[in-house]
Amino acid sequence: MGSSQIQRVRIVIRGAVQGVGFRPFIFRLADELRLKGWVINNTQGVFIEAEGSLDVLQTFLLRIEREKPAISFIQSFEHSYLDPAGYNNFEIRESTDGAKTALILPDIATCSDCRQEIFDSANRRYRYPFTNCTNCGPRFTIIEALPYDRPRTSMRMFDMCPECAEEYHNPRDRRFHAQPNACPQCGPHLELWDATGTVACKNDEALLRAAAAVRDGLIVAVKGLGGFHLLVDAGNEPAVRRLRSRKRREEKPFALMFPSLATATEFAQVEPLEERLLLSPESPIVLLRRRACEGLAESIAPGNPFLGVMLPYTPLHHLLLQELRFPVIATSGNVSDEPICTHEQEALLRLQDIADLFLVHNRPIVRHMDDSVVRVMAGREIVLRRARGFAPLPVLLREAAPDVIAVGAHQKNAIAASVGEQVFISQHVGDLETVPAYGAFEQVLADFAELYELHPAVLACDLHPDYFSSQYARKQREVKVVAVQHHYAHVLSCMAENQIDPPALGIAWDGSGYGPDETVWGGEFLRITAEGFERFAHLRTFRLPGGEKAVKEPRRVALSILRETFGDKLTELGKLPTLAAFSGDERRLLEEMLEREIRSPRTSSAGRLFDAVASILGLRQVCRFEGQAAMELEFLTHEVATDESYAFELLDGSDGNSLDWVPMIRAIMTEIRDGFCAGVVAAKFHNTLVEMMVRVAKECGDERVVLSGGCFQNRYLTERAVMQLGNQGFRPYWHQRVPPNDGGIALGQVAAVSRARSKSKPGERQTVCA
Ligand SMILES: [Zn+2]
Ligand SMILES: [Zn+2]
Ligand SMILES: [Zn+2]
């Protein structure tokens, strides 16, 4: 999609944006930039649609925030690109009522007024870590019930002092009806606890001693907005290593919090869209290109050219980071894959072997909330983890869906609930591997049902019978259960947020998903029609020796791929990193498993194909975290620029067309023997995958091509697919507000039920969309 092509952006702005001259401001700005479209006010906020070229629309987005009326305040700024509607002029439209469902705002990063107050020694909130106002502060993490009013929040236990009450009741005050309003006299306060829970000190002394402990290389658990963070000096290698071993997190990158934008730019490249994100009310973790390595511990993100960066987003973080003046690791307070701790007693138990000290406070956290993760790709934002700042804002469908609760997938679980044309997506829950994670999942479901007063007749789940989320759905009586094929849900999720209808070709590439033929799918081309989907093509299948074990060991996948390519003549290939990664016995055992088809399911997984190539190149034989090998392969593409690709074949098969990668693997082996650099091979491998997409798109003929699944977190793959498909006359669509990974599955499940509605028979308890 060229940048000169006309696109439409839809913007939803929430906050103090009504009755402050916001619409005339938007009108003048749009007029100056010669954009077409409209702006409208309704009970849910200001809605804007504007059409123009991508670069002008980007300028528009950036200038709205920079030049908005001084009196206005933005609490949430969401935007999505959609197909152009063909507007002729820009107009201010009549206000409408908007959706009736009560809107719950996400937590909002500290505003500049509050920030000034906490650093002003003359202000009564000087150094007060729970300062907030109508424009900023906690929301979703303190709400117990609706409507949003102090007695129904976790602030109800704090009686406002006369001064706070005066602000709260004064319509001219910035804190008029600010539900979490508080001050040092009447609000929550800090305590520093040792590992046994004994109070060491309170208030500002607690904060100063916590900062000193971080400076000394200790691990401090800090109770924040939506849970505990573990804070460690990012420049202290031994401290970071200690955190890794205690948290049992081997190599997965840690997110960093920087004292300011200026310090972040010393360590990372920050483009204008990324700067906007860092400073936005959502204040997510933004994946940035690393600039310098000095000053940061090597083991923060070993071998990774990116850094996950965020800025302080609560007064507590501002005060701590101002004290420290250096970047810190701010990672979720949990043991490996468990959910984030929210309660101090729970944190003492679960984090006792990790944290040296606990900086806690007495404002209860009603529900857990991780930090969100966002990356800029192809000139747009793409949310990779949807939590603080975004959840539980709705995604708007083009038309109303029936009332459904979707329980999502297994990894990166999030649930969704539809109310009319709005789909509320929960905060990120995580992988449902552990008992605490499953508990968090059930809690989020109960929480959503209560908050939104949901009584749905339908529960949607994944087709995979063993996912805990699917098992939960099947256990429920009184409701109809709809099982949705995983990759179909991926594609529908992307179509729903882009507001497009069938027909379309969906390319759903990820690690794995349950196929209706009981094989493991993962390299799918699904033709989406009004009736459902057809598996139009898929990657050639191969065996996974040891099933789940192969997911963690790229060398196992590579062994299988090499045998598919070269038969049993592997020893003739000479010295290969893959083969060298096994002992003689291990390899014999695996080859026997493959030969006799024992515990070796067939898969078409694109994610595993990345693993295999990473192993063959000697990049990674065993993964320390999910997706590591594929990430490392992507990183190699940064070093080279080539448009070359490898040969492949599109074959007819009984289960749809199959893309044969055997010629590619042969060519890669030849190039390795000829001493080609790994970066070139990695780039050509990515290019080949994109050529496969283009080839199938041509075969299919549908103009719309929808890209979804975990593989499209890969920036090189996504940007190149978007460009090449666009060059060939197709319309590519990719994710924006909803993650391409399994965090987006719940939205797709809602969309699937919506589509299947017309076909199901009354009284039927189970339906399958597969
Ligand atoms: Zn504020
Ligand atoms: Zn007070
Ligand atoms: Zn998936």
Side-chain angles (χ1 to χ4, degrees):
M1 195 175 286
S3 58
S4 60
Q5 218 170 330
I6 295 298
Q7 302 190 27
R8 169 168 57 133
V9 72
R10 166 179 293 174
I11 308 169
V12 186
I13 302 178
R14 300 183 169 96
V17 286
Q18 280 150 331
V20 292
F22 209 84
R23 285 178 303 163
F25 155 70
I26 293 295
F27 179 84
R28 281 191 298 272
L29 187 59
D31 194 54
E32 183 193 324
L33 295 170
R34 295 166 192 274
L35 295 171
K36 317 279 186 231
W38 46 261
V39 53
I40 200 169
N41 249 347
N42 75 28
T43 46
Q44 306 247 327
V46 171
F47 288 68
I48 304 164
E49 288 204 358
E51 288 185 3
S53 63
L54 180 62
D55 39 341
V56 180
L57 291 175
Q58 281 176 357
T59 306
F60 183 57
L61 293 172
L62 295 171
R63 283 185 62 184
I64 290 175
E65 289 191 303
R66 285 189 200 137
E67 300 171 21
K68 65 180 191 292
I71 192 173
S72 65
F73 190 88
I74 294 174
Q75 294 174 327
S76 148
F77 186 106
E78 286 207 303
H79 63 274
S80 302
Y81 288 89
L82 302 171
D83 282 346
Y87 298 123
N88 298 318
N89 57 356
F90 199 92
E91 60 186 23
I92 298 182
R93 291 195 176 167
E94 287 292 316
S95 301
T96 57
D97 285 346
K100 294 283 183 291
T101 323
L103 192 72
I104 304 172
L105 273 181
D107 300 334
I108 307 154
T110 309
C111 75
S112 54
D113 290 334
C114 288
R115 208 166 56 228
Q116 262 164 25
E117 288 178 351
I118 60 170
F119 291 116
D120 172 6
S121 58
N123 193 283
R124 71 188 191 94
R125 289 190 175 82
Y126 178 55
R127 298 187 65 80
Y128 182 55
F130 305 95
T131 302
N132 65 80
C133 72
T134 319
N135 295 331
C136 75
R139 296 288 185 275
F140 191 39
T141 54
I142 59 164
I143 293 175
E144 291 170 339
L146 290 177
Y148 175 48
D149 234 333
R150 191 163 172 120
R152 281 174 295 270
T153 71
S154 62
M155 283 300 291
R156 69 190 145 83
M157 55 191 278
F158 302 96
D159 287 328
M160 276 187 272
C161 69
E163 274 175 286
C164 286
E166 157 66 27
E167 294 166 338
Y168 182 89
H169 293 292
N170 179 359
R172 281 172 302 281
D173 196 279
R174 199 173 94 242
R175 298 199 161 89
F176 179 54
H177 279 241
Q179 308 304 344
N181 189 25
C183 78
Q185 266 59 58
C186 65
H189 73 274
L190 289 176
E191 285 180 359
L192 187 69
W193 295 3
D194 68 12
T196 65
T198 308
V199 181
C201 53
K202 292 185 177 185
N203 300 323
D204 207 36
E205 196 194 342
L207 187 135
L208 293 173
R209 278 181 53 184
V214 173
R215 215 178 285 120
D216 290 344
L218 297 184
I219 299 170
V220 182
V222 178
K223 184 180 176 189
L225 208 51
F228 275 80
H229 269 149
L230 292 163
L231 251 54
V232 173
D233 176 358
N236 186 333
E237 180 67 37
V240 179
R241 281 181 191 275
R242 205 174 316 124
L243 177 65
R244 284 216 177 272
S245 83
R246 289 189 190 173
K247 204 170 140 71
R248 279 180 265 142
R249 178 156 155 156
E250 296 170 288
E251 291 177 15
K252 193 175 178 187
F254 282 128
L256 301 178
M257 187 179 275
F258 283 78
S260 64
L261 179 65
T263 46
T265 49
E266 278 173 37
F267 291 90
Q269 289 174 28
V270 186
E271 304 295 330
L273 286 181
E274 294 161 342
E275 179 180 323
R276 186 201 87 74
L277 278 165
L278 287 171
L279 297 172
S280 68
E282 292 82 7
S283 192
I285 295 168
V286 185
L287 295 190
L288 299 175
R289 236 9 233 284
R290 200 187 266 242
R291 193 198 287 276
C293 291
E294 284 125 75
L296 292 181
E298 165 62 26
S299 53
I300 285 173
N304 193 323
F306 288 88
L307 290 175
V309 173
M310 65 184 144
L311 296 181
Y313 54 83
T314 72
L316 175 59
H317 293 115
H318 279 290
L319 291 165
L320 273 171
L321 271 287
Q322 167 84 7
E323 211 51 53
L324 292 169
R325 295 177 189 273
F326 55 73
V328 293
I329 287 177
T331 186
S332 341
N334 58 8
V335 184
S336 54
D337 294 325
E338 292 184 358
I340 189 168
C341 291
T342 52
H343 192 274
E344 44 275 21
Q345 294 299 339
E346 175 203 2
L348 266 189
L349 276 177
R350 283 173 53 200
L351 305 179
Q352 62 178 344
D353 296 331
I354 304 179
D356 299 306
L357 286 170
F358 294 79
L359 183 63
V360 302
H361 60 73
N362 55 340
R363 184 178 70 202
I365 296 172
V366 175
R367 55 186 66 74
H368 85 274
M369 187 65 63
D370 288 277
D371 296 314
S372 294
V373 181
V374 183
R375 188 176 193 182
V376 173
M377 268 188 220
R380 298 180 186 175
E381 294 169 8
I382 175 164
V383 176
L384 300 181
R385 183 164 76 195
R386 197 179 156 92
R388 181 179 49 76
F390 301 106
L393 290 177
V395 170
L396 286 182
L397 301 178
R398 218 165 51 196
E399 51 192 58
D403 289 356
V404 184
I405 291 185
V407 297
H410 183 71
Q411 285 188 311
K412 300 183 171 63
N413 181 276
I415 65 147
S418 53
V419 180
E421 69 274 18
Q422 303 188 98
V423 182
F424 296 93
I425 303 175
S426 78
Q427 70 272 39
H428 167 82
V429 178
D431 299 351
L432 304 183
E433 295 283 350
T434 59
V435 174
Y438 186 73
F441 162 77
E442 286 190 309
Q443 211 174 341
V444 168
L445 275 168
D447 185 36
F448 252 52
E450 199 180 308
L451 274 180
Y452 295 106
E453 295 174 16
L454 305 169
H455 309 283
V458 182
L459 265 184
C461 67
D462 198 278
L463 188 62
H464 201 311
D466 299 337
Y467 281 3
F468 287 152
S469 53
S470 311
Q471 290 176 354
Y472 169 91
R474 291 202 166 88
K475 271 191 295 204
Q476 308 309 307
R477 301 288 147 206
E478 329 275 302
V479 285
K480 183 175 153 162
V481 177
V482 180
V484 184
Q485 201 280 324
H486 188 84
H487 301 93
Y488 181 46
H490 267 307
V491 177
L492 289 188
S493 159
C494 189
M495 289 175 71
E497 72 156 321
N498 282 287
Q499 301 202 335
I500 60 165
D501 290 323
L505 174 67
I507 303 181
W509 283 12
D510 61 4
S512 67
Y514 191 86
D517 57 358
E518 297 189 9
T519 69
V520 183
W521 287 18
E524 309 311 311
F525 295 84
L526 307 181
R527 179 134 204 267
I528 312 293
T529 61
E531 282 73 45
F533 75 91
E534 164 207 356
R535 192 187 197 195
F536 186 76
H538 57 83
L539 294 178
R540 172 178 171 156
T541 62
F542 51 93
R543 292 197 175 274
L544 290 175
E548 272 303 302
K549 263 205 152 151
V551 174
K552 297 195 172 81
E553 296 186 21
R555 59 182 182 172
R556 287 182 182 236
V557 188
L559 185 70
S560 165
I561 292 265
L562 289 169
R563 281 181 58 97
E564 289 270 336
T565 309
F566 299 101
D568 51 11
K569 299 187 185 60
L570 295 192
T571 29
E572 289 168 28
L573 297 172
K575 271 204 189 135
L576 253 187
T578 301
L579 302 183
F582 296 107
S583 71
D585 284 350
E586 281 172 335
R587 203 180 118 192
R588 262 189 301 280
L589 183 71
L590 288 173
E591 293 200 55
E592 200 178 305
M593 281 168 71
L594 285 167
E595 202 130 313
R596 296 171 50 195
E597 303 179 4
I598 303 165
R599 277 184 289 125
S600 301
R602 285 201 89 84
T603 185
S604 54
S605 169
R608 296 291 87 78
L609 200 55
F610 275 86
D611 287 355
V613 173
S615 162
I616 291 170
L617 281 173
L619 217 53
R620 176 135 317 262
Q621 305 305 338
V622 177
C623 287
R624 306 289 173 207
F625 60 90
E626 190 237 326
Q628 186 179 21
M631 257 174 61
E632 289 172 336
L633 204 55
E634 179 194 351
F635 297 156
L636 282 186
T637 62
H638 297 314
E639 295 158 23
V640 286
T642 176
D643 287 322
E644 284 179 46
S645 59
Y646 298 113
F648 63 89
E649 278 183 84
L650 184 60
L651 307 170
D652 273 345
S654 55
D655 55 349
N657 300 304
S658 138
L659 282 153
D660 189 2
W661 34 259
V662 162
M664 172 178 77
I665 299 294
R666 284 185 185 280
I668 288 177
M669 292 301 294
T670 307
E671 289 190 350
I672 291 176
R673 218 170 15 239
D674 295 346
F676 273 58
C677 96
V680 172
V681 176
K684 288 177 72 174
F685 166 70
H686 279 78
N687 296 350
T688 310
L689 296 180
V690 171
E691 293 309 314
M692 289 176 172
M693 297 182 205
V694 172
R695 176 70 196 279
V696 175
K698 284 181 175 165
E699 201 70 27
C700 174
D702 288 334
E703 191 194 10
R704 298 178 177 131
V705 182
V706 179
L707 311 174
S708 188
C711 291
F712 293 100
Q713 298 174 98
N714 180 319
R715 180 168 165 177
Y716 184 94
L717 187 75
T718 306
E719 291 187 341
R720 193 170 174 95
V722 165
M723 181 182 72
Q724 297 292 78
L725 286 164
N727 288 347
Q728 298 295 320
F730 297 100
R731 278 188 166 277
Y733 298 86
W734 64 102
H735 282 276
Q736 307 184 61
R737 316 309 303 168
V738 177
N741 58 46
D742 287 2
I745 287 287
L747 173 63
Q749 291 172 343
V750 169
V753 172
S754 200
R755 293 199 175 281
R757 163 172 51 166
S758 48
K759 289 183 297 177
S760 66
K761 300 176 200 81
E764 210 174 18
R765 214 183 88 75
Q766 296 243 347
T767 316
V768 172
C769 295

